[in-house]
Amino acid sequence: MTGDLRSRIRAGELLIGSFIKTPVPHMVEILGHVGLDFAVIDQEHAPIELSQMDMMAMAGRSVGLPLLSRRWGAQTDWIAPLLDLGLAGVMVPHVLDRAGAEQVCDAVRFSRGKRGLSPSPRAGNYGGMSIPAYRDHCDAGSVVMVQIEDESALDHLDDIAAIADIDLMFIGPADLSQSMGVGFPSAELDQAIERIIAAGKKAGVAIGLFVGDAAQIPAWHAKGITLFVCGSDQALLRKSATQLMATARG
């Protein structure tokens, strides 16, 4: 493993992570010890508050696990407080067009002049970094992932991918299939995913995908997807416990 998460994404490395849905730092610590490349704390579909994020962010730093967050809401005012905690970046659901993607980038990059600036939080070593150094460090390392999971977004892929501050377009296959009115899985969904991959390749922007099973990764990686979120901490626990009971009961 070399470089920070953003550098690795832009270099096209194969990166494997998971969602974290349990609001305790121990899950972060465990997943860091097993060597995940990153994890996404799922504030969109789990009850995780800012104070809990604070402890989880601290745990991530202790084991060298880059953490991102995703959460609900059309606004972007939730982004800066999480980056202040020292998260590596954000994954923003339901980005529909260029205007929405630009709004996300405004909330992340100090260079755009709209994010509140103070090196006093953890991300600035509690004031240990100068303002210029802090600004440059954050802008160089913070990851911007926008989720493509609405049928209408498929008509704006080139516009979204053209934004230089976008690091990755992440495909949410469940919501995308629901928006399209097709099955999950289905040939129609696969075609839409391949359309997103093609837009990413054209613009030189990385593409990510959620998969429920690691067995799906090689085929999609061969088609050009380089970052995968596979399941969640809860899914991993449930699968392991189910296998334990099946083995124990014969």
Side-chain angles (χ1 to χ4, degrees):
M1 181 187 301
T2 58
D4 61 21
L5 179 62
R6 188 179 186 218
S7 298
R8 299 180 72 199
I9 289 170
R10 289 185 167 246
E13 290 188 38
L14 173 61
L15 301 170
I16 310 298
S18 181
F19 283 121
I20 298 178
K21 297 175 178 287
T22 309
V24 295
H26 310 79
M27 288 297 182
V28 175
E29 190 176 20
I30 292 167
L31 293 176
H33 280 308
V34 303
L36 290 188
D37 294 307
F38 69 95
V40 182
I41 301 177
D42 192 7
Q43 293 183 282
E44 183 184 15
H45 294 297
I48 306 176
E49 300 176 354
L50 188 61
S51 61
Q52 295 167 322
M53 292 292 295
D54 188 23
M55 295 297 100
M56 296 171 82
M58 189 183 298
R61 286 201 162 195
S62 75
V63 291
L65 178 64
L67 295 175
L68 299 93
S69 174
R70 73 167 184 180
R71 59 166 287 175
W72 69 94
Q75 303 304 313
T76 57
D77 54 1
W78 58 272
I79 291 176
L82 296 178
L83 297 178
D84 284 351
L85 295 179
L87 265 65
V90 291
M91 174 189 287
V92 181
H94 298 291
V95 173
L96 303 178
D97 51 28
R98 180 167 188 138
E102 294 279 12
Q103 188 178 14
V104 173
C105 294
D106 285 345
V108 174
R109 305 270 183 243
F110 288 120
S111 60
R112 288 172 165 249
K114 297 182 180 180
R115 177 181 166 188
L117 175 59
S118 172
S120 61
R122 179 182 296 118
N125 292 339
Y126 300 104
M129 300 176 70
S130 69
I131 286 179
Y134 174 60
R135 183 175 55 224
D136 292 346
H137 175 75
C138 289
D139 279 0
S142 295
V143 175
V144 177
M145 297 186 186
V146 293
Q147 285 197 247
I148 307 299
E149 50 187 351
D150 299 86
E151 185 174 23
S152 65
L154 298 176
D155 294 327
H156 301 280
L157 294 174
D158 289 342
D159 285 343
I160 294 171
I163 301 171
D165 284 325
I166 297 291
D167 297 305
L168 182 138
M169 295 192 295
F170 187 85
I171 302 163
D175 279 358
L176 182 57
S177 66
Q178 176 176 262
S179 177
M180 294 173 61
V182 301
F184 175 35
S186 67
E188 296 86 352
L189 177 61
D190 287 352
Q191 289 169 4
I193 293 173
E194 290 174 4
R195 183 175 168 186
I196 298 167
I197 294 170
K201 287 181 177 179
K202 179 181 176 182
V205 174
I207 303 298
L209 177 68
F210 173 82
V211 294
D213 189 330
Q216 299 171 271
I217 291 175
W220 283 116
H221 184 232
K223 291 184 178 183
I225 293 177
T226 56
L227 180 143
F228 294 88
V229 174
C230 186
S232 69
D233 60 327
Q234 295 176 356
L236 292 167
L237 176 62
R238 182 183 176 90
K239 181 177 181 179
S240 179
T242 299
Q243 290 176 339
L244 181 154
M245 292 307 295
T247 301
R249 299 295 188 191

